[in-house]
Amino acid sequence: ALYSPLSLGSGIAGTKVVLGGFIIRKFLSGATMLIKSIGLILAVASGLSLGLQGPMVHIACCWGALIMSLFPKYRNNEAKKREIFSASCAAGVTAAFGAPLGGVLFSLEAMSSYFPQKTMWRSFWCAISTAVMLKYFQPATGAENQLVQFQVFYRGQSFLWYEMVPFAFLGALGGLAGALFIKLSSKLHKLRRGYSWFRQHRLLEIGIIGCVTSLMTFSNVFAAEGQSFLLQHLFSHCTELQTSL
């Protein structure tokens, strides 16, 4: 907030505005990308419950803008810029979750207002290239050191046919829990906007949130470890675990 105000938040909202045809000066600058990258590294390393998707999309679009500035064909053509930004959104989601098709669909459905067929193919190959490079830089061993979130491995048969019913039930519960979370988050956001204290003490608010999160997570054995480590245990048979929680 002090050095790069435009790097605040996830970056999804601002990226959608840019893809809609508007220009936000310095939103995709090198300084914004640098501050955003450092903040993302520190936020993820702290163990806070923060996602990678939004910042990775913003950083990917910053890289796209930086590379486009080297070529007059793209630098002086706003339509070409939007195509590159659409592909960058797909690359950002792929880098966060390791899902190229999911990245293309996210860029198509949630981000881009103009998405012709040629842009879809270019976004797809951009996402595939991101997945290949992500796999290349993936740590060799240790599930807790994986770069991709929510990556699990099955040994043998992954599930049985009669388990589809409880899976569907869990999916419905997950959707309801997500809707409740969004509603509570919206109410909390409106509550925060009604008090000037939060705007005047942003750093103190972040410190309080960090302390509360640390006390709540590190005192719980299931929340103390990282997401990749916890998912490894959730998707492993009890006989395969070498350590106990």
Side-chain angles (χ1 to χ4, degrees):
L2 296 177
Y3 301 101
S4 180
L6 293 176
S7 63
L8 287 172
S10 67
I12 292 292
T15 304
K16 291 183 69 174
V17 171
V18 172
L19 285 173
F22 296 91
I23 297 177
I24 305 178
R25 299 190 180 278
K26 298 184 179 181
F27 180 74
L28 300 175
S29 63
T32 301
M33 180 181 64
L34 177 62
I35 298 299
K36 191 85 170 187
S37 301
I38 296 175
L40 179 61
I41 293 172
L42 296 176
V44 174
S46 66
L48 296 176
S49 299
L50 301 172
L52 293 174
Q53 176 184 349
M56 291 297 286
V57 168
H58 190 182
I59 293 173
C61 289
C62 289
W63 274 111
L66 181 63
I67 294 175
M68 277 190 299
S69 64
L70 304 177
F71 303 94
K73 175 182 178 181
Y74 297 97
R75 183 175 64 243
N76 302 323
N77 192 323
E78 295 296 329
K80 290 290 185 182
K81 285 184 179 181
R82 269 59 189 179
E83 294 181 7
I84 297 296
F85 291 151
S86 297
S88 300
C89 290
V93 175
T94 303
F97 300 112
L101 292 179
V104 176
L105 292 176
F106 175 82
S107 179
L108 169 63
E109 297 178 358
M111 299 298 294
S112 304
S113 57
Y114 177 69
F115 204 88
Q117 186 175 2
K118 63 178 182 179
T119 303
M120 179 180 295
W121 281 108
R122 292 170 179 173
S123 300
F124 175 74
W125 288 113
C126 182
I128 289 294
S129 302
T130 303
V132 171
M133 295 303 297
L134 187 66
K135 186 66 176 179
Y136 178 78
F137 287 104
Q138 189 96 320
T141 58
E144 66 276 7
N145 296 322
Q146 299 296 322
L147 296 177
V148 178
Q149 287 186 318
F150 316 121
Q151 183 176 11
V152 295
F153 299 95
Y154 297 98
R155 294 183 181 179
Q157 191 172 10
S158 58
F159 63 91
L160 301 175
W161 65 269
Y162 55 81
E163 294 177 334
M164 298 298 293
V165 175
F167 287 167
F169 180 70
L170 289 175
L173 290 180
L176 293 175
L180 178 61
F181 176 82
I182 293 174
K183 188 173 183 178
L184 292 177
S185 178
S186 300
K187 289 184 176 296
L188 179 61
H189 180 67
K190 293 180 180 179
L191 181 64
R192 290 179 68 255
R193 294 183 63 180
Y195 294 92
S196 60
W197 185 90
F198 293 100
R199 295 189 297 269
Q200 299 173 358
H201 303 85
R202 292 181 177 180
L203 296 179
L204 180 59
E205 179 189 4
I206 295 174
I208 294 175
I209 293 175
C211 293
V212 172
T213 303
S214 300
L215 293 175
M216 294 179 62
T217 56
F218 288 97
S219 60
N220 188 331
V221 66
F222 295 104
E225 299 291 347
Q227 291 182 347
S228 299
F229 183 85
L230 180 60
L231 288 173
Q232 179 198 15
H233 285 73
L234 290 176
F235 286 88
S236 300
H237 297 290
C238 295
T239 55
E240 296 179 355
L241 299 179
Q242 298 179 357
T243 59
S244 175
L245 291 176

